[in-house]
Amino acid sequence: MTIDLAQFLPTFLEESYEGLETMETGLLNLQSSEDDSIHSIFRAAHSIKGGAGTFGFTQVTNFTHLVETLLDEMRDGRRDIIQSDIEILLQSVDCIRLLIEADRNESVCEDESINNVQILLNESLKSANTQTINESEDTNDSKSTNQQSWLIDFIPQPHLVQTGNDPIFLFNALADLGELRIICNTSELPVFSDIEPKELYLKWQIQLSTLSSTEKDIREVFEWVEDECILDITLLGTEAAVDKEQDLKSAPVASEPALDIKAAKEETTRTSLTDNDKPQTSAKTKPDVGSIRVGVDKVDILINLVGELVITQSMLSELGNDFDLSKLEKLTSGLDQLLQNTKELQESVMRIRMLPISFAFNRFPRLIHDLSIKTGKEIELVIKGEQTELDKTVMEQIGDPLVHLVRNAVDHGIESKEVRIANGKSPKGKISLDAYHMGGSIVIEINDDGGGINRQAVLNKAIEKGVVEPNSTLTDSQVFDLIFEPGFSTANEVTDISGRGVGMDVVKKNIQSLGGRIQVASEPGKGSSFKVNLPLTLAILDGQLVRVGTEVYIIPLISIVESLQTKTDLINRVSGNMLLYRLREDNVPVLPIYQLFNLEADNIEIDNSLLVVVESDGQKVGLMVDDLLAQQQVVIKSLKDNYQQVDGISGATILGDGSVAMILDIPGMISMALAQAQVAQKTAHNNIEEVV
Amino acid sequence: MDIQALAKDVPAQGEQSLEGIDFITNGEQYLTFMLGTEQFAINILCVEEIRSWEQPTRIPNAPIHVKGVINMRGVIVPIIDLRIKFEVGENTYLPSTVVIILTIEVEHDSKVIGFVVDAVSDVLNAEESDIKKSPAFGGSIPPEFIAGLVNLENSVVTLLNAEALHKIEKHQPNGGNKS
Amino acid sequence: MAKFLIVDDSNSIRQMVSFTLKSAGFDVVEASDGVEGLEKAKGDQFDLVISDVNMPNMNGIELCQELRKLPPFEFTPILMLTTESSGDMKMRGKAAGATGWLVKPFNPEKLLATIKRVVR
């Protein structure tokens, strides 16, 4: 029977990655050997090694063995806990991560860090103790090819059964090796009245006739009791005088079968990856669907809510069976109940995908630790709000941008120790991460108490790159926003941490693609603050329904600045056909949706029309609509599944009446408007040329 | 048990019955429909549903043959008017106008698309040998859409290529955008 | 049907041992550390206890000692699951009253063959 262990691989991997995190966190906080955490660090490594062996992850097993040995010495007190060892161990954690991936893909890890760290580990262990684990099956020394007869004298000590061993079972196991003939010797048995019930007075003589087993195999059966007995094993002979009761005429199978059994055993030692190659490879190449750990409490809540929904449904169903107007009130209250149930159900289900942001924040202690060393700056990391929950997918995608922002804070924000002291600041820089809910979004703040953003440097660079006109007046926040322009970096040398100039604009793009936005504030000498605003979930949107002609569109609430009725005297016409609306100090370009989408609208005049002012990427635009309808939450459905990407539209949704409404893509619409304007300008230009 | 009679009584909600289904057949079965006075057919295995025409939600700046999208049990389905696309018949929208919803799978990519037609007719059985090649020249329909021709009594039925329909919106629009 | 108690803080090891034994027709109860293992042991009868050595709260050696103090477990086979095959391990195990040991990495076939020495 081959037992397929492949199904346990995901659990093992999950467990191992968690274990590695435990090790990392533990190591970072390890102060002294009195620290209890050394034990959990050791246990984590021990578990990983054990499990790895089972799945044939030899690279992991071999490497982790060294780690485990080092940790063992540390936890036993045989070795003081010193910083350099902790450093090596931290690097080992990274290595194990790489090796797990490599072994999982059945590839050899070529990363040189593995070798380097291994050397360090060995040096630290001060012994060239790189012998591989002798956990592989012992290869049989002398493969028997013929029928062999063994005589086994088994004389157990009286207290044998008190160890939990029982000769009957030992003989059972022995029977696996061949045919047995057992003779019991009761000569030592005392008189009944003298018998100690818990003691064993018997001894045995066993004749074993076996084809392939060796003395080693026999001893192995008795290995647990070898100190509690006298065990004599003698080879009587090959094809020896076999007792009549043992009739083994089976053809002396040659070495091949013996080897086969051995080979098969080897195979199964390598665990689950046995005969079936196809299912195995498919299991390996199947893309990771991903999984979520959900607290049972969340599931229970869901079950309750669904239960209530079922009750409401049957109630409504019954009402519908024999309905007349007298039951109208019951119907409305039933529908209210339904609304309540669906709302609660929706919230509950959303919460399942929500995980605390600590998963994303977890990597930062280590990151700061490493960066501190690299830059020589002393940095304190403060993390707040790590229990704030957000959607799993959003969290996975926000990880890298956050890392970049933190690196940026370390590299460009926090000044060197000398500079800080010279400015009367504490030599230790402080970076704080915070997360909290606000409205329907989650806000993540990265603050540093460094030198702030150099306004002039940024402005100069922007002018140099032609992003702004030399003489333009910009507010502070406008200047700071410039750092999100592509190719922007004021760092004079490119450090390998950040500053290659590809970072910030990508960060902003990533955040925007999640439906969020990023703002930066800064005070010279005091520090900078980055605020990232993200929707709590990607599938649902708070929208404002608007009507243009006969069409209904949805504008994401998060982009809306305000809605207003236009006043004629605030309208200005510029460059012939561009309409600007004066909104306080801003001149907001007007975008007539009907024009952009080639529709027929009720109102095509800007005077006294309805304008929804939206903002995207710092740019404000006024969308001309015919009517403002309701505000509601909508479920985002993709147009790409059955159709394709449409300019200006980010998706579709199904309204309460079953009809489909398009969700506007504000940045997309702005691009479209720009494009249209350019085309119009060009045609106008050409026309003029023709005339001339 | 008269299967034909049973089949007549089979319409599911929102669907029209497919009468005269011959269950004992060789070859493949095709649903025939009318565009103008011309007869076309598509492999019946692709046919998901037949719906009566309802005004879809328009897609901004879409080609004129793309009428918009509808909600079909929670799925957003684009509706394409083949009469416009193939320049056959007239794109009138009468109570009798019908939309055939097809589910077309090409290389693990499955799309649900609705096609506006004038009417739906019988199910046609045709074997490989019945399908003749369509002339390469003439005609307003791009050849990639045509799988072949089948003779039906005195008239001809144009068999459409489902795979080509799968990619239909990727084609350049006939007639261009309204500007 | 023989009933076993499996004690190990590693989910994956516990699951695999459980699975293997159940596939062979044994009844299995699981615990994730020594304390839980002891609790479960007190509440039931077992034909075999398999325990990991390194666990939080109460390790395998301690568990073994505690079990041996309970009358029902005086003769119950107790096996230690360990990655160390050193003589040191054996001594500690035996001193605590363990019946034997099983070396990780874990081989389902070998596990089943080996436990034959102490159960039917």
Side-chain angles (χ1 to χ4, degrees), chain A residues 87-317:
Chain A
E87 289 307 318
I88 299 174
L89 287 169
L90 278 172
Q91 289 179 48
S92 305
V93 169
D94 294 331
C95 291
I96 298 175
R97 269 198 198 107
L98 289 173
L99 290 171
I100 291 180
E101 271 313 298
D103 267 328
R104 179 186 181 180
N105 297 325
E106 290 182 333
S107 64
V108 176
C109 188
E110 306 272 321
D111 202 310
E112 51 180 42
S113 64
I114 312 282
N115 265 331
N116 295 341
V117 179
Q118 230 168 350
I119 293 173
L120 290 171
L121 280 169
N122 280 319
E123 276 175 16
S124 190
L125 285 167
K126 275 194 189 125
S127 65
N129 211 353
T130 50
Q131 65 198 42
T132 46
I133 336 292
N134 50 353
E135 282 155 0
S136 46
E137 289 263 293
D138 288 324
T139 42
N140 254 349
D141 348 302
S142 47
K143 290 198 173 50
S144 47
T145 59
N146 299 317
Q147 196 73 23
Q148 295 191 306
S149 210
W150 299 88
L151 187 67
I152 305 164
D153 277 301
F154 176 53
I155 304 166
Q157 283 174 10
H159 66 270
L160 185 90
V161 288
Q162 289 174 49
T163 62
N165 282 295
D166 190 338
I168 285 275
F169 295 129
L170 290 173
F171 300 154
N172 240 1
L174 204 54
D176 274 351
L177 300 178
E179 298 267 331
L180 295 178
R181 190 166 174 260
I182 308 173
I183 304 167
C184 181
N185 187 326
T186 56
S187 56
E188 296 297 318
L189 205 53
V191 184
F192 189 75
S193 48
D194 288 340
I195 291 184
E196 286 290 332
K198 296 182 184 176
E199 306 246 306
L200 183 61
Y201 302 97
L202 306 171
K203 46 193 179 181
W204 289 267
Q205 199 181 65
I206 306 155
Q207 247 184 347
L208 169 68
S209 183
T210 175
L211 261 175
S212 53
S213 306
T214 64
E215 181 177 334
K216 198 164 190 170
D217 296 326
I218 300 174
R219 287 208 179 269
E220 201 183 351
V221 172
F222 292 96
E223 73 175 320
W224 293 341
V225 298
E226 61 187 7
D227 294 334
E228 277 97 15
C229 71
I230 300 171
L231 189 65
D232 283 330
I233 304 181
T234 347
L235 179 61
L236 290 178
T238 48
E239 285 171 329
V242 170
D243 215 85
K244 278 173 284 191
E245 296 178 36
Q246 297 161 343
D247 189 24
L248 293 149
K249 282 261 182 59
S250 42
V253 199
S255 40
E256 264 83 295
L259 276 168
D260 279 343
I261 301 170
K262 252 304 119 169
K265 272 202 178 152
E266 292 292 353
E267 289 284 324
T268 52
T269 312
R270 257 208 112 244
T271 74
S272 52
L273 318 175
T274 47
D275 358 62
N276 313 322
D277 255 318
K278 285 213 199 76
Q280 214 44 47
T281 39
S282 62
K284 276 249 159 80
T285 55
K286 199 167 42 169
D288 236 330
V289 182
S291 61
I292 276 191
R293 272 241 186 105
V294 183
V296 182
D297 53 331
K298 282 187 184 171
V299 178
D300 284 338
I301 292 177
L302 258 188
I303 292 182
N304 285 339
L305 290 175
V306 171
E308 288 180 29
L309 184 64
V310 169
I311 294 174
T312 307
Q313 185 270 335
S314 59
M315 183 255 277
L316 284 172
S317 185

Side-chain angles (χ1 to χ4, degrees), chain B residues 21-167:
Chain B
I21 299 177
D22 186 349
F23 285 102
I24 320 221
T25 174
N26 301 319
E28 307 254 324
Q29 293 190 310
Y30 301 87
L31 177 68
T32 56
F33 55 91
M34 311 290 295
L35 295 179
T37 52
E38 288 181 39
Q39 285 188 303
F40 292 84
I42 185 73
N43 193 317
I44 206 169
L45 293 174
C46 309
V47 179
E48 176 86 24
E49 199 173 303
I50 299 173
R51 294 165 79 100
S52 36
W53 162 262
E54 54 190 71
Q55 176 70 43
T57 301
R58 287 157 68 179
I59 299 174
N61 297 322
I64 48 170
H65 63 278
V66 178
K67 304 303 293 178
V69 288
I70 59 166
N71 161 26
M72 196 175 88
R73 294 184 290 280
V75 178
I76 309 279
V77 179
I79 304 295
I80 309 223
D81 195 326
L82 281 179
R83 301 167 304 182
I84 303 177
K85 177 76 186 167
F86 292 161
E87 289 174 8
V88 180
E90 281 180 36
N91 47 320
T92 52
Y93 300 98
L94 309 170
S96 56
T97 310
V98 158
V99 175
I100 305 178
I101 308 283
L102 297 183
T103 302
I104 312 170
E105 183 169 329
V106 174
E107 284 162 12
H108 304 293
D109 178 29
S110 178
K111 281 207 196 334
V112 182
I113 312 178
F115 295 94
V116 186
V117 305
D118 284 311
V120 167
S121 324
D122 299 330
V123 173
L124 170 71
N125 295 308
E127 292 170 51
E128 198 76 42
S129 49
D130 296 327
I131 306 176
K132 316 274 182 243
K133 269 187 84 159
S134 155
F137 52 87
S140 53
I141 305 175
E144 59 268 26
F145 288 107
I146 303 180
L149 300 175
V150 174
N151 288 332
L152 186 62
E153 288 148 25
N154 292 328
S155 57
V156 171
V157 177
T158 309
L159 239 48
L160 291 182
N161 183 339
E163 238 183 80
L165 290 177
H166 182 273
K167 302 190 184 74

Side-chain angles (χ1 to χ4, degrees), chain A residues 267-414:
Chain A
E267 289 284 324
T268 52
T269 312
R270 257 208 112 244
T271 74
S272 52
L273 318 175
T274 47
D275 358 62
N276 313 322
D277 255 318
K278 285 213 199 76
Q280 214 44 47
T281 39
S282 62
K284 276 249 159 80
T285 55
K286 199 167 42 169
D288 236 330
V289 182
S291 61
I292 276 191
R293 272 241 186 105
V294 183
V296 182
D297 53 331
K298 282 187 184 171
V299 178
D300 284 338
I301 292 177
L302 258 188
I303 292 182
N304 285 339
L305 290 175
V306 171
E308 288 180 29
L309 184 64
V310 169
I311 294 174
T312 307
Q313 185 270 335
S314 59
M315 183 255 277
L316 284 172
S317 185
E318 213 186 286
L319 263 184
N321 269 339
D322 197 10
F323 188 70
D324 60 62
L325 280 175
S326 67
K327 298 195 186 155
L328 189 61
E329 210 182 300
K330 276 214 181 119
L331 180 63
T332 18
S333 89
L335 290 173
D336 274 337
Q337 186 66 33
L338 186 62
L339 175 65
Q340 195 58 31
N341 289 143
T342 359
K343 239 185 169 174
E344 285 174 2
L345 199 54
Q346 179 195 330
E347 279 170 20
S348 247
V349 170
M350 286 304 164
R351 242 178 266 129
I352 286 196
R353 282 196 116 250
M354 308 267 273
L355 291 173
I357 200 169
S358 55
F359 285 99
F361 281 178
N362 271 350
R363 62 176 87 177
F364 289 111
R366 174 72 195 277
L367 181 67
I368 297 283
H369 171 93
D370 289 344
L371 288 176
S372 268
I373 296 177
K374 236 181 193 155
T375 58
K377 299 178 186 171
E378 257 185 69
I379 300 179
E380 182 193 343
L381 177 67
V382 175
I383 296 185
K384 283 187 284 182
E386 58 263 41
Q387 289 311 308
T388 312
E389 291 191 338
L390 76 167
D391 179 276
K392 180 178 195 269
T393 309
V394 175
M395 175 146 67
E396 282 165 1
Q397 299 199 14
I398 200 64
D400 283 345
L402 285 181
V403 167
H404 190 90
L405 288 170
V406 169
R407 285 186 145 163
N408 189 68
V410 172
D411 209 34
H412 301 301
I414 305 286

Side-chain angles (χ1 to χ4, degrees), chain C residues 40-103:
Chain C
K40 302 232 163 144
K42 287 181 182 168
D44 214 334
Q45 304 247 19
F46 291 101
D47 300 286
L48 171 63
V49 178
I50 300 181
S51 171
D52 189 19
V53 174
N54 292 296
M55 299 183 290
N57 300 325
M58 185 195 290
N59 65 39
I61 300 290
E62 291 163 346
L63 173 64
C64 188
Q65 288 168 333
E66 291 303 310
L67 284 174
R68 286 287 182 229
K69 292 180 189 166
L70 306 172
F73 286 88
E74 219 181 320
F75 301 103
T76 310
I78 303 176
L79 299 178
M80 298 281 110
L81 264 182
T82 170
T83 57
E84 308 158 64
S85 49
S86 60
D88 189 44
M89 181 55 232
K90 286 197 238 169
M91 302 300 318
R92 291 171 65 206
K94 290 216 174 154
T99 309
W101 55 88
L102 293 161
V103 184

